[in-house]
Amino acid sequence: MRILAIDYGKVKTGLAETDPLQIIASALETVPTKDLMPYLEKYLRREQVSDVVVGLPMRAHGVPGEIEEDIQKFIKKFQEKFPDVKVHREDESYTSIRAAEAIFMSGTKKKKRRDKTIIDRVSATLILQSFMERQN
């Protein structure tokens, strides 16, 4: 079964997944947030997912980011629709910065580095990797 990671955003949401053996985390897709639930419904019909990791946006001094209220609504809706999938939270502090650095270091051309959808997917991958490392 796979683990799916979600870097939830007001406009776009980055997604990452593990392989079925839960060894490797890979960027999956960036979807418009308004289309997230239909996308997940389709994805979960096609793939076996045991767990979902949702990024936890934290500000300085341990205060959740302003989008946390929207994330809580999404999680509630997700759990109602998919009660068998465990939902976890993972601190997503600085994942966008780390994602941009990783994309830069990979030698990606400047025009492509500006594509926010790539940063969203890589951020979700970093959230997933962090979660997986804590599980070991």
Side-chain angles (χ1 to χ4, degrees):
M1 293 186 118
R2 296 181 188 274
I3 301 172
L4 183 67
I6 300 173
D7 181 22
Y8 190 94
K10 283 196 181 285
V11 178
K12 292 179 287 199
T13 296
L15 301 168
E17 66 182 352
T18 64
D19 61 292
L21 297 176
Q22 300 181 3
I23 297 170
I24 299 168
S26 302
L28 177 61
E29 183 121 22
T30 299
V31 298
T33 300
K34 66 179 178 52
D35 300 333
L36 179 59
M37 196 56 79
Y39 178 90
L40 292 174
E41 289 169 1
K42 224 165 129 179
Y43 180 85
L44 289 167
R45 275 196 301 269
R46 161 177 103 236
E47 300 291 344
Q48 290 186 322
V49 175
S50 61
D51 300 78
V52 168
V53 182
V54 181
L56 176 62
M58 298 300 287
R59 291 184 174 171
H61 309 295
V63 178
E66 65 185 51
I67 195 167
E68 180 61 19
E69 189 175 321
D70 294 337
I71 293 171
Q72 287 297 325
K73 289 175 188 172
F74 162 75
I75 290 172
K76 185 174 191 269
K77 192 174 172 183
F78 181 89
Q79 288 177 318
E80 288 169 359
K81 196 150 202 81
F82 307 104
D84 296 335
V85 179
K86 292 182 225 109
V87 177
H88 308 271
R89 300 301 302 276
E90 187 69 28
D91 185 358
E92 65 173 54
S93 300
Y94 308 110
T95 54
S96 292
I97 293 167
R98 290 178 25 228
E101 289 172 354
I103 293 165
F104 176 77
M105 296 299 286
S106 73
T108 303
K109 294 193 183 318
K110 189 174 186 177
K111 183 178 180 185
K112 200 165 186 174
R113 287 195 311 255
R114 289 187 187 141
D115 183 352
K116 177 79 168 92
T117 63
I118 295 171
I119 292 174
D120 293 334
R121 287 192 300 267
V122 174
S123 292
T125 307
L126 293 172
I127 291 166
L128 184 52
Q129 286 176 331
S130 177
F131 174 78
M132 291 169 62
E133 287 168 6
R134 281 192 323 102
Q135 301 308 301
N136 293 330

